[in-house]
Amino acid sequence: MLQSVSGKRTKREDSAQHNAVDAASKRTKTEEATSGASMFDSLGLPIPGLLTQSYTHFSAHQGDGAQGEGYVLGVDEAGRGPVLGPMVYAACYCKESYYDELSTLGFADSKQLTEAQRLRLFVRLQEEPHINDHAGWAVRSISPYDISVSMLRRAKYNLNAMAHDATILLLTQVIRQRNVHVARVFVDTVGPPATYQRKLEQLFPDIKFTVAKKADSLFPIVSAASVCAKVIRDAHLTHWCFKEPAVLVDRAFGSGYPGDPNTVKWLRASVDPVFGFPDIIRFSWSTCVKLLDDLAVPVVWPDDDEEGEEKKGGSASTAKKAAHRSGTSTIRALFATASSDASRQRSKFFSRRRPVLLNTTL
């Protein structure tokens, strides 16, 4: 459990804090039922499986609770900028008494290490008892579909908000589900460091936070989290199972970034003119939107036609709105039908297509 808030905090402030972290936890209850853990083998590495839903996964390490030794925890991500694949947030944590030794293991910003070096460090973190007796890790893998749907919904949920929530969720669950007494946290910033740090301090007032740019190059525990995130994301891409069974797609993704010519070439070759991109793509990215405009079959919605006709003027609803703005309308007028005819006019969608009513009596 989170430690109790000390001193002068009010009950209302306590309630607000716990409501915020509880909301983050509740979002993953149904996700855990699909078992992100089922996608992992004994090493904690992904094996082929559909990634249609975001998930959280933890290593086996357990803490000793609030009365146990304090832990240092670092948070970093992999896959924020690419146009394809998941965005993976990782937390790595170790006992404060072990931090100096962990700092000598060779963890560095994952972008400065080769794939083989990252994998070797991750395996050591998993398999060597003298390491995993003192340290653990957790990942939050956000699927491409969830990223796109979140960014395209009416109340836009952007990458910064996703990043903050993923960090809060990981920290909350490490404390509650892994019984880890987190004392210090280092975070690679998303947005202004000072603002982000204040937000975390308000949610977890008993923890000392350091939020900084390039934290993965400054703090070994963040470097370790960076390695975990990168290994998990790369493994997902390597073993990706496309849910579109009729589509045979090669894996020459390039770097995955929109500015990579190989990635753009792969995207162009992967567009279906009717169904668009396969599920590995974040279709909310502007690169994908433009390619769909250029290569996919255009779609015209009947409602768009009707809205267009109203914008040209002359419709009763337009006149009604104008009267309302000028103050000449009445309450009754706001609810009046567009036609003086008492019968309701059919939608243009049906009048144009002339559907036939079938007798459904048995």
Side-chain angles (χ1 to χ4, degrees):
M1 293 291 291
L2 290 173
Q3 297 180 32
S4 60
V5 184
S6 59
K8 301 179 181 179
R9 290 177 62 86
T10 66
K11 290 183 178 179
R12 180 175 296 179
E13 290 172 326
D14 288 348
S15 177
Q17 173 199 342
H18 286 285
N19 286 343
V21 294
D22 283 341
S25 296
K26 287 177 182 177
R27 279 196 296 271
T28 61
K29 284 187 177 178
T30 56
E31 296 162 2
E32 289 172 353
T34 64
S35 186
S38 67
M39 298 179 65
F40 286 74
D41 63 13
S42 60
L43 291 180
L45 294 175
I47 59 176
L50 292 175
L51 182 57
T52 56
Q53 194 170 27
S54 303
Y55 68 87
T56 306
H57 178 75
F58 301 87
S59 67
H61 181 81
Q62 288 275 1
D64 298 320
Q67 304 307 316
E69 182 178 349
Y71 278 67
V72 181
L73 182 146
V75 180
D76 199 13
E77 56 77 27
R80 178 182 169 87
V83 71
L84 53 82
M87 179 170 69
V88 179
Y89 264 78
C92 188
Y93 42 96
C94 74
K95 295 177 181 178
E96 288 183 300
S97 60
Y98 184 72
Y99 188 36
D100 287 342
E101 185 172 345
L102 181 136
S103 301
T104 67
L105 299 180
F107 285 104
D109 177 5
S110 63
K111 294 183 287 294
Q112 299 175 5
L113 301 172
T114 66
E115 182 178 358
Q117 288 173 325
R118 290 193 296 267
L119 186 57
R120 184 163 56 250
L121 286 168
F122 185 78
V123 170
R124 290 192 67 189
L125 191 62
Q126 280 291 96
E127 290 191 330
E128 297 186 14
H130 73 281
I131 297 177
N132 56 45
D133 283 350
H134 304 283
W137 58 270
V139 292
R140 173 68 178 165
S141 187
I142 307 174
S143 72
Y145 176 82
D146 284 346
I147 292 172
S148 297
V149 169
S150 297
M151 294 186 69
L152 291 176
R153 69 190 189 186
R154 185 162 300 188
K156 186 175 181 180
Y157 181 43
N158 62 32
L159 281 181
N160 282 6
M162 288 183 225
H164 288 195
D165 285 351
T167 299
I168 293 167
L169 179 65
L170 284 173
L171 184 51
T172 301
Q173 293 188 331
V174 166
I175 293 170
R176 293 183 176 179
Q177 297 186 19
R178 283 298 180 260
N179 211 25
V180 171
H181 174 202
V182 178
R184 290 191 293 162
V185 173
F186 298 92
V187 181
D188 195 25
T189 192
V190 175
T195 304
Y196 190 11
Q197 182 165 322
R198 280 196 301 272
K199 178 179 181 178
L200 293 172
E201 288 171 342
Q202 289 171 357
L203 291 173
F204 305 94
D206 296 319
I207 298 175
K208 182 178 179 181
F209 284 92
T210 301
V211 179
K213 296 179 180 180
K214 304 295 182 184
D216 51 355
S217 300
L218 300 173
F219 308 107
I221 196 68
V222 182
S223 302
S226 173
V227 168
C228 292
K230 181 64 173 171
V231 168
I232 297 300
R233 174 177 155 81
D234 286 351
H236 270 303
L237 293 178
T238 300
H239 300 295
W240 191 271
C241 287
F242 292 91
K243 70 178 182 181
E244 303 85 2
V247 180
L248 297 177
V249 185
D250 67 50
R251 298 176 185 273
F253 304 135
S255 67
Y257 284 88
D260 184 343
N262 291 326
T263 299
V264 175
K265 179 181 178 181
W266 184 88
L267 289 172
R268 295 183 70 89
S270 303
V271 177
D272 182 277
V274 175
F275 298 106
F277 291 106
D279 65 326
I280 195 173
I281 298 301
R282 303 175 188 178
F283 51 84
S284 58
W285 257 232
S286 58
T287 303
C288 296
V289 173
K290 186 177 185 308
L291 286 175
L292 287 175
D293 288 341
D294 293 343
L295 302 176
V297 175
V299 177
V300 178
W301 302 98
D303 286 349
D304 292 341
D305 286 347
E306 294 177 16
E307 288 178 7
E309 290 174 7
E310 286 188 2
K311 288 179 181 178
K312 293 178 183 177
S315 73
S317 64
T318 303
K320 191 192 309 180
K321 291 174 184 176
H324 176 64
R325 286 194 297 270
S326 66
T328 60
S329 66
T330 64
I331 295 296
R332 186 182 299 275
L334 291 175
F335 298 96
T337 58
S339 172
S340 59
D341 187 354
S343 63
R344 187 174 179 181
Q345 295 183 355
R346 274 188 125 188
S347 167
K348 289 184 174 64
F349 178 87
F350 295 104
S351 61
R352 289 171 182 168
R353 289 159 180 78
R354 300 179 181 177
V356 177
L357 180 63
L358 299 177
N359 187 351
T360 58
T361 304
L362 295 178

